[in-house]
Amino acid sequence: MLYTKNDPVGLDKPIQRLQEYLHGKLLALWGIDTSQYQAYGRCYRNQTEDGYIPEVYIGGNEYKEVYVDDTVTALSFFGLSGHTKVDGAGYADVHLIFFVNVQALKNVPHRGDEEVRRDVQRLIAPGKFGFSLNGVELWIDNVFREYSGARRSQGIKFRDMHPFHCFRLNMKLSYNIFNC
């Protein structure tokens, strides 16, 4: 399912363009239908008793946490890494986090996490929609460094263990603030 804004503006506009592009390309590449891939736009870094968590706005003053969902094959969302700069042009540090069921996406005799990451990197690497890929983060603590509430007081809410895999792509977004 592709979750988009009706009329995105500012940095949400290029984020949504990349979100829609990746959703279509990855559905075809991975051979899954839209019900198996939840693609969210920009999430919010909302504070709870346990720290900050990633949530998407679903309407009616309601938010939904975005973490691994074992009922789907893939889930992704965008986040901001705190810095945006405006000097005639806009620049933002953006990250894209994926949760995937590797086993459902890659029919290989080993853990196909590298293959899944390569699929996404190849689609972003050419510099689509003003994004440039800066790096990839692995391991839950690195992936969720801005979201300390992901490590709830009861223990880690999820693990990066087969068949599930979590990774993060760090990107720089350059956009024209006057055309968004």
Side-chain angles (χ1 to χ4, degrees):
M1 185 72 167
L2 181 64
Y3 298 94
T4 59
K5 290 187 171 188
N6 289 336
D7 191 19
V9 298
L11 58 82
D12 285 333
K13 194 170 188 174
I15 285 175
Q16 187 160 306
R17 289 181 69 203
L18 183 58
Q19 173 196 6
E20 292 170 339
Y21 170 79
L22 288 174
H23 185 259
K25 293 289 188 182
L26 291 172
L27 286 176
L29 185 62
W30 290 337
I32 58 176
D33 66 61
T34 190
S35 69
Q36 286 301 302
Y37 178 18
Q38 292 182 351
Y40 294 97
R42 181 171 54 89
C43 77
Y44 295 89
R45 184 176 176 256
N46 291 339
Q47 189 167 12
T48 67
E49 291 177 7
D50 294 321
Y52 292 97
I53 59 172
E55 292 184 312
V56 291
Y57 182 71
I58 57 173
N61 294 329
E62 296 295 322
Y63 290 83
K64 174 186 173 186
E65 292 181 11
V66 279
Y67 291 121
V68 67
D69 180 347
D70 62 3
T71 66
V72 298
T73 305
L75 182 147
S76 65
F77 66 90
F78 291 82
L80 297 178
S81 295
H83 298 288
T84 58
K85 181 179 176 189
V86 178
D87 60 4
Y91 303 94
D93 292 322
V94 176
H95 54 267
L96 173 58
I97 294 177
F98 273 87
F99 290 102
V100 297
N101 181 329
V102 174
Q103 189 171 353
L105 296 177
K106 296 296 174 181
N107 186 18
V108 293
H110 56 273
R111 180 171 158 88
D113 54 347
E114 188 66 31
E115 290 85 344
V116 170
R117 288 193 309 272
R118 181 189 63 194
D119 290 344
V120 180
Q121 287 174 308
R122 283 182 173 169
L123 293 171
I124 295 173
K128 296 280 184 210
F129 312 115
F131 289 90
S132 59
L133 183 60
N134 294 339
V136 177
E137 302 275 352
L138 303 176
W139 308 310
I140 296 298
D141 286 340
N142 294 334
V143 171
F144 284 92
R145 70 174 160 261
E146 289 92 356
Y147 310 104
S148 60
R151 295 175 294 279
R152 306 269 172 148
S153 56
Q154 307 94 319
I156 296 176
K157 186 172 175 110
F158 45 83
R159 300 195 191 298
D160 189 5
M161 294 179 66
H162 194 70
F164 299 107
H165 178 48
C166 179
F167 63 98
R168 168 182 169 147
L169 302 164
N170 294 322
M171 300 172 285
K172 176 73 79 183
L173 170 60
S174 299
Y175 63 103
N176 184 328
I177 62 170
F178 302 109
N179 292 335
C180 291

